[in-house]
């Protein structure tokens, strides 16, 4: 029986990770093509930047839907619906003839991409033993960080060889393949007792459970400000590196791996020292590192001319802080009320992506050749995240 349980957990883990990677790649794979996209659709580069924000807003909106659905109908149906929407959005984006149409389908893509992290956190809570949950969550967080950072490598190669439309074609094929994998191989991990409890509680009451918890607000707002800083960088970096510094589209993808590498280091710290230091200490340490990264970028920009290293090394430090902070926030938050793990995951996703998307729209207001302004924005977001620690008990 134990062997069967281990196999179930292993299948569930890897399928969820695959779904998350495809969904998260949808947000950023086309970033090296932003300048070419703007020319092709005859639009302003700032409008092209907003296609990232609109996807994040769709992702945030989708968070409220999948959690209650996954807690009541099951994890598999919720994930299949998300992958279906991701496929529709990718197909529409691939053939969009103007920026308005592209934004509509980018919103649909975001709605679909929301399913992976929301349902994934619920699946891990169901299938992974409690003593291994923080490690599983750190792996999920690693996928959330590596996919957006790595996808532009592929997108840059596609832009050089073909065009930005083929990036969306690849996403369409990938989403359909993962949907088939979910249909054939993903076991339903939601237990009957948890399903019955969730149905008894009700959707609105389930949300009220968490809205009434100051500690949950603390976790959620920390994610809002942390990812707000990250997405300000993600939407600004292609303009700074490609347009201002003249870095080739395919080379941009490799530079974007530096923050993801930092995140990997941060998750390794969690794996090695998590039990000894405790989740709250790692959350504090990670948030302080985020602040230091923003200060480092600002100081470097004021002291020297704009350079790729001056941008990306501080972001590698930012990635380390992210890798230490986020998995511990996710783990502690979904364990506040175990029978409503999907609902908690939905609200966390709303904070993480919906709130941060609103913050990220300010990226269009930043100067396209001023890394100091970007560094100050990251510093402000880190300070706001640090202030939210007052809502989280020391225990």
């Amino acid at each position: 029986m134990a062997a069967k349980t281990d196999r179930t957990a292993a299948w569930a883990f890897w399928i969820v990770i695959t779904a998350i990677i495809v969904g998260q790649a949808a947000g950023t794979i086309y970033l090296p093509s932003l300048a070419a996209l703007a020319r092709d659709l005859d639009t302003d580069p700032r409008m092209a930047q907003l296609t990232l924000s609109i996807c994040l807003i769709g992702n945030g909106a989708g968070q409220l839907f999948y959690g209650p659905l996954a807690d009541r109908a099951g994890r598999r149906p919720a994930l299949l619906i998300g992958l279906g929407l991701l496929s529709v959005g990718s197909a529409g984006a691939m053939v969009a003839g103007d920026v308005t149409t592209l934004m509509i389908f980018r919103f649909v893509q975001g709605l679909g991409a929301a399913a992976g992290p929301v349902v994934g956190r619920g699946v891990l809570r169901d299938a992974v033993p409690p003593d291994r949950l923080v490690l599983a969550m750190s792996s999920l967080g690693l996928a959330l960080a590596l996919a957006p950072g790595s996808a532009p490598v592929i997108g840059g190669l596609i832009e050089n060889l073909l065009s930005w439309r083929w990036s969306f074609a690849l996403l369409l094929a990938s989403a359909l393949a993962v949907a088939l994998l979910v249909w054939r191989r993903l076991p339903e991990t939601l237990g009957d007792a948890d399903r019955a409890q969730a149905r008894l509680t009700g959707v609105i009451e389930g949300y009220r459970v968490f809205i009434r918890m100051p500690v949950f607000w603390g976790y959620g707002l920390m994610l809002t400000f942390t990812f707000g800083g990250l997405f300000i960088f993600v939407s600004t970096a292609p303009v700074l590196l490609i347009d201002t510094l003249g870095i080739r589209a395919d080379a941009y993808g490799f530079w974007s791996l530096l923050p993801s590498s930092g995140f990997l280091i941060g998750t390794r710290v969690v794996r090695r020292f998590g039990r000894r230091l405790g989740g709250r200490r790692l959350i504090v340490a990670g948030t302080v590192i985020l602040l230091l990264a923003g200060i480092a970028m600002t100081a470097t920009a004021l002291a020297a001319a704009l350079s790729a290293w001056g941008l990306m090394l501080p972001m590698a430090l930012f990635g380390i802080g992210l890798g230490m902070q986020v998995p511990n926030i996710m783990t502690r938050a979904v364990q506040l009320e175990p029978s409503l793990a999907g609902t908690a995951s939905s609200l966390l996703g709303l904070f993480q992506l919906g709130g941060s998307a609103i913050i990220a729209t300010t990226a269009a207001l930043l100067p396209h050749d001023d890394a100091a302004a970007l560094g100050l924005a990251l510093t402000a977001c880190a300070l706001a995240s640090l202030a939210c620690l007052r809502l989280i008990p020391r225990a």
Side-chain angles (χ1 to χ4, degrees), residues 96-145:
D98 57 75
V99 72
T100 301
T101 303
L102 178 61
M103 284 189 176
I104 291 171
F105 284 106
R106 287 287 288 162
F107 183 81
V108 175
Q109 271 190 312
L111 286 175
V118 172
V119 180
R121 286 188 283 266
V123 168
L124 295 184
R125 205 284 304 176
D126 299 338
V128 177
D131 61 329
R132 288 190 285 168
L133 186 57
V134 71
L135 298 181
M137 286 292 185
S138 69
S139 298
L140 184 150
L142 183 61
L144 284 169

